[in-house]
Amino acid sequence: MASGCGAAGRPPESRGPLSAALSAFEHLGARPWAERAEAELRAAGWSRRRTETSKVHTLTPQELETARLAASGLTNKQIAERLFLSHRTVGAHLYQIYPKLGITSRAMLRDALESGSWSQSRH
C-alpha cells in the first residue's frame, strides 16, 4: 500500500490504485485492509460520499433462503435437499454470504439476519 510513500503529495497518481484496492478489500470483507486503504485515500485528499458510507450489502434471494435455513440449524446437506442444490453449492452460497453480512461463522448468521444490516437483491 502507499503508506509512507507520500500519497498526499501525488493525489492524482495514488487515488486510482488506492480506490481499486479499497473496492477489492470491501468486496472481500477484509476490513482492516479496507480501513487502511481508506485512510490512505483520505490522506490523498479523497472523501467518501454519504451514499457510499451507508451502503448495505445485498443478498440474492437464493443466498437469503440459504442463510435463513443455515441460521435455523440445518446442515449443508439438509439445506441442499430442501433447495434442490448440491451441498457444495450451499457451501459456496455461505462463503459469499458471510462477507456480505460482515460475519465469520455460521453461529453469527441468526444475529446478522435479525439485525437487518443487509438488503435483498432483486436478481
Side-chain angles (χ1 to χ4, degrees), residues 38-57:
E38 189 170 352
E40 293 292 335
L41 277 165
R42 280 194 307 270
W46 176 84
S47 65
R48 202 174 253 253
R49 287 188 222 140
R50 269 184 184 242
T51 56
E52 290 179 283
T53 56
S54 64
K55 176 181 161 190
V56 292
H57 296 287

Side-chain angles (χ1 to χ4, degrees), residues 62-123:
Q62 186 78 61
E63 289 171 340
L64 179 59
E65 186 62 23
T66 302
R68 285 182 176 156
L69 291 172
S72 74
L74 297 179
T75 65
N76 286 9
K77 185 176 179 183
Q78 291 169 325
I79 295 167
E81 289 170 357
R82 284 198 184 186
L83 300 179
F84 303 103
L85 302 169
S86 77
H87 69 282
R88 291 181 185 200
T89 301
V90 171
H93 281 309
L94 291 171
Y95 181 78
Q96 293 172 344
I97 291 167
Y98 292 173
K100 288 182 178 183
L101 297 179
I103 61 174
T104 57
S105 73
R106 191 180 197 111
M108 301 170 80
L109 265 175
R110 187 176 352 164
D111 291 339
L113 291 174
E114 288 175 359
S115 76
S117 64
W118 56 275
S119 68
Q120 185 174 350
S121 171
R122 306 243 188 264
H123 294 45

Side-chain angles (χ1 to χ4, degrees), residues 2 5-16 18 43-44:
C5 294
R10 303 177 322 170
E13 296 89 39
S14 61
R15 286 184 190 165
L18 285 170

